[in-house]
Amino acid sequence: MKVTRAVSPLLPLCQRLLPGRLAGLSLTLLKATALEIAILAGHLLLYPTGITPERRPASNPPEPPTDTGTRTDTGATPDTTRLPTPTRPPVVLLHGFIDNRSVFVMLRRSLAQHGRQQIESLNYSPLTCDIRTAAELLGRHIEEICERTGRHEVDIVGHSLGGLIARYYVQCLGGDIRVRTLVTLGTPHSGTRVVPLMNAHPIVRQMRPGSGVLDELCQPAPHCRTRFVSFWSDLDQLMDPLETACIEHPDLLVQNVRVSGIGHLALPVHPAVAAGIRQALDSEETEARPAAAHPAAARADGLTVA
């Protein structure tokens, strides 16, 4: 997804007005901003398609009993060949603030093309005013998904506020029993100070540094079994400070991945990020690291997409 040509006429001006390194940064910022505008325009077109809840697939029928090594009356050995069943857990996609499942159109397609057979996008109400309530609703959805699919665990990918809702479910509501891996994209884990005028909304206040919800997430979680992978961008316009999208907790298994060259809206859309998400979901649990035990290593992974 290249936008270099769209901003190339500005390159000579940037080079004349700004020193080398700063000019490169400004050009990268211009490219990222142009990409954000393009993604926003596309998302506004797709938004109506994601307002209604996703149609749920029918429950899996019970598997017929297998017969190994027996023969029929005709003496022929019955065909016991069966299609392989998916070994990876379902993936649950959870959108951000004032958004819906349409934001995951590209990511969903990418996951499906690479073998994920069970993918579900959940909507929570745009009138949601409490992260705790949304997390409880998420828990009920996940219980229903596990019952319907016959799986014990799920993976979750949460964008922005969706990642915070999923983390609260995992840490504070016992969701680590059900969630194997939680991937967050541009989620304000330590709170963001951006757009102070938005403080009138209760859920925005819960995303501010020092809120009661964030204080709960800082509490000890010594037995949490979920693996966390947090993607954060160095050009994320909604994270203030930028590092708030990293998870810093001494008891959690965390991998923080820095993304360079794109903004907040591009995180669930960009193909390079989608490849990183697939890799995170397919990684073994032993690859995760306690965030506070290795603070330098926790941010060692990087992804340059522009």
Side-chain angles (χ1 to χ4, degrees), residues 227 253 283-290:
R227 182 171 65 100
L253 294 171
S283 297
E284 295 295 331
E285 187 172 347
T286 53
E287 295 181 9
R289 301 178 285 265

Side-chain angles (χ1 to χ4, degrees), residues 80-281:
T80 59
T81 303
R82 299 173 59 190
L83 294 176
T85 57
T87 58
R88 292 175 289 187
V91 180
V92 179
L93 307 176
L94 197 61
H95 61 81
F97 182 57
I98 315 179
D99 210 338
N100 62 38
R101 61 186 177 86
S102 63
V103 72
F104 291 118
V105 168
M106 301 299 293
L107 177 58
R108 185 189 186 104
R109 180 180 304 171
S110 175
L111 292 172
Q113 289 175 343
H114 289 82
R116 289 283 176 166
Q117 300 179 3
Q118 298 171 332
I119 307 170
E120 305 217 7
S121 302
L122 300 182
N123 278 357
Y124 55 87
S125 172
L127 302 179
T128 298
C129 293
D130 183 50
I131 288 176
R132 302 176 185 90
T133 302
E136 292 174 358
L137 178 62
L138 173 63
R140 291 196 292 271
H141 278 305
I142 290 177
E143 290 297 325
E144 186 272 332
I145 290 171
C146 289
E147 181 179 358
R148 173 162 39 85
T149 62
R151 306 307 301 269
H152 178 67
E153 292 179 311
V154 302
D155 291 332
I156 299 180
V157 179
H159 179 227
S160 195
L161 172 61
L164 208 57
I165 293 171
R167 183 180 170 189
Y168 191 91
Y169 165 65
V170 167
Q171 273 188 247
C172 302
L173 301 180
D176 60 317
I177 297 176
R178 291 298 193 192
V179 181
R180 185 191 68 159
T181 302
L182 171 57
V183 177
T184 66
L185 310 172
T187 292
H189 291 287
S190 300
T192 177
R193 296 188 293 265
V194 75
V195 194
L197 294 179
M198 288 291 291
N199 282 347
H201 198 293
I203 210 164
V204 173
R205 293 198 297 270
Q206 291 183 336
M207 291 190 286
R208 297 304 191 195
S211 73
V213 167
L214 297 184
D215 285 345
E216 289 182 56
L217 293 177
C218 290
Q219 296 300 310
H223 305 297
C224 185
R225 286 164 283 192
T226 298
R227 182 171 65 100
F228 296 82
V229 182
S230 177
F231 288 80
W232 65 286
S233 173
D234 57 9
L235 293 178
D236 193 326
Q237 308 91 335
L238 298 185
M239 297 298 107
D240 180 19
L242 292 172
E243 292 79 4
T244 190
C246 296
I247 298 177
E248 303 289 349
H249 196 293
D251 297 328
L252 302 182
L253 294 171
V254 176
Q255 182 180 11
N256 290 312
V257 181
R258 173 174 175 167
V259 181
S260 297
I262 62 173
H264 188 78
L265 296 179
L267 285 169
V269 175
H270 201 286
V273 179
I277 293 171
R278 296 196 309 267
Q279 182 179 359
L281 294 179

